[in-house]
Amino acid sequence: MTGALVSTCELCAHQATPAWSLVFQGPLLRVVRVLDAPEFPAFYRVIWQAHVAEMSDLLAADRQHLMDTVNTVEGVLRTSLQPTKINLAAFGNMVPHLHWHVIARFDWDSHFPQPVWGTAQRTPVPAAVDRLIAPLVEVDARIVAALTA
Amino acid sequence: MTGALVSTCELCAHQATPAWSLVFQGPLLRVVRVLDAPEFPAFYRVIWQAHVAEMSDLLAADRQHLMDTVNTVEGVLRTSLQPTKINLAAFGNMVPHLHWHVIARFDWDSHFPQPVWGTAQRTPVPAAVDRLIAPLVEVDARIVAALTA
């Protein structure tokens, strides 16, 4: 199921923007790393290429492919960064184009244990990106390797 | 994969509480409806019975079973309530016991288009529960029917 693109949808129109970098490009989905939330440096999105709103709009095989990809990204984040917790979410309230947030959370991060959409709890010093135990470009490369293995 | 229960975990210890009602009970997972967030009356959780933290802790077949159940709940919410959007999330930052939030969102609800964990946007009048086009006990029954079909 590929489906149409919608020119007014920012996820259809842009493969990469200053807000995120393209990590992996596939026929059915892509993986990007979010750049505009520096307090959560290990914040990835898995974006379905076709403009559908809900998981239940997908065929079962496509749904499984998407969740397998989310799971692969989760696995790389866990092994690379040893986060306190992984957070997964698919909202689409603002942009009703199916995408998953996959976020490595740490007990020292600005919002933990609140969701990243909740209330800040603290200001980490040093900054979040300087606390990660692996460079994000290396995490990106491991995601690509895992998705193309 | 059934696994251990942990007596200090609220999701292991309680099958139902004043905060939620039990909708469906299976060997591997249960479905509850959240009662302590009246601004989001169609708020369900799919809770894995065993005390594991992350989706990637599950075997592939179990992960698929869990997401199939999430998808079934989503489908019943869509057909029963015609929400503006479905929101799915698995955080577990507070209670690191795998559970999915499945929430029917409406463009008139208190927080839309923000996540339910974000900032309130308005106070709906009449109240949310009075705007739903089907009674929640009927939605519960449809979820049970769909999961036992």
Side-chain angles (χ1 to χ4, degrees):
Chain A
M1 180 164 154
T2 50
L5 301 180
V6 175
S7 62
T8 55
C9 169
E10 71 175 91
L11 293 185
C12 286
H14 302 293
Q15 293 291 307
T17 80
W20 68 78
S21 66
L22 186 63
V23 173
F24 172 82
Q25 182 74 277
L28 295 177
L29 52 78
R30 64 190 189 270
V31 178
V32 305
R33 176 156 52 81
V34 172
L35 301 177
D36 61 355
E39 63 276 42
F40 308 110
F43 186 153
Y44 290 80
R45 290 196 188 112
V46 182
I47 303 170
W48 195 248
Q49 303 284 23
H51 188 80
V52 299
E54 304 284 9
M55 281 295 282
S56 52
D57 290 329
L58 295 185
L59 299 172
D62 286 341
R63 200 160 56 237
Q64 188 172 348
H65 175 55
L66 176 51
M67 291 314 295
D68 284 349
T69 303
V70 168
N71 194 65
T72 297
V73 174
E74 168 178 318
V76 171
L77 294 184
R78 292 182 72 186
T79 54
S80 301
L81 300 175
Q82 299 174 24
T84 308
K85 193 68 190 66
I86 295 290
N87 286 182
L88 304 177
F91 299 141
N93 302 334
M94 303 250 199
V95 182
H97 176 135
L98 183 59
H99 60 283
W100 278 92
H101 306 280
V102 185
I103 314 166
R105 299 296 309 277
F106 299 89
D107 56 12
W108 47 256
D109 78 33
S110 58
H111 287 55
F112 198 90
Q114 295 299 315
V116 305
W117 300 274
T119 305
Q121 308 293 306
R122 67 192 68 82
T123 301
V125 179
V129 70
D130 296 324
R131 293 173 177 237
L132 301 181
I133 61 172
L136 287 164
V137 290
E138 189 174 315
V139 179
D140 294 352
R142 289 182 192 173
I143 289 171
V144 173
L147 291 176
T148 53
Chain B
M1 179 162 151
T2 49
L5 301 180
V6 174
S7 63
T8 54
C9 168
E10 71 176 270
L11 293 185
C12 285
H14 302 293
Q15 293 292 307
T17 79
W20 68 78
S21 67
L22 185 63
V23 173
F24 172 82
Q25 182 73 277
L28 295 178
L29 53 78
R30 64 190 190 272
V31 179
V32 305
R33 176 156 53 81
V34 172
L35 301 177
D36 61 354
E39 63 276 43
F40 308 109
F43 186 154
Y44 290 81
R45 289 196 189 111
V46 182
I47 303 170
W48 195 249
Q49 303 284 22
H51 188 81
V52 297
E54 305 285 8
M55 282 294 281
S56 51
D57 290 329
L58 295 185
L59 299 172
D62 287 341
R63 200 160 56 236
Q64 187 172 351
H65 175 55
L66 176 51
M67 291 315 294
D68 284 349
T69 303
V70 168
N71 194 64
T72 297
V73 174
E74 169 178 317
V76 171
L77 294 184
R78 290 182 71 185
T79 56
S80 299
L81 300 175
Q82 297 173 27
T84 308
K85 194 67 191 67
I86 295 291
N87 286 180
L88 305 176
F91 300 141
N93 301 336
M94 303 248 201
V95 182
H97 176 135
L98 184 58
H99 60 284
W100 280 91
H101 306 281
V102 185
I103 314 166
R105 300 296 308 278
F106 299 89
D107 55 13
W108 47 256
D109 78 33
S110 59
H111 287 54
F112 198 89
Q114 294 299 315
V116 307
W117 299 274
T119 306
Q121 307 294 306
R122 68 191 67 83
T123 301
V125 179
V129 69
D130 296 324
R131 293 172 177 238
L132 300 181
I133 61 173
L136 287 164
V137 290
E138 190 174 313
V139 178
D140 293 352
R142 288 181 193 173
I143 289 172
V144 173
L147 290 176
T148 53

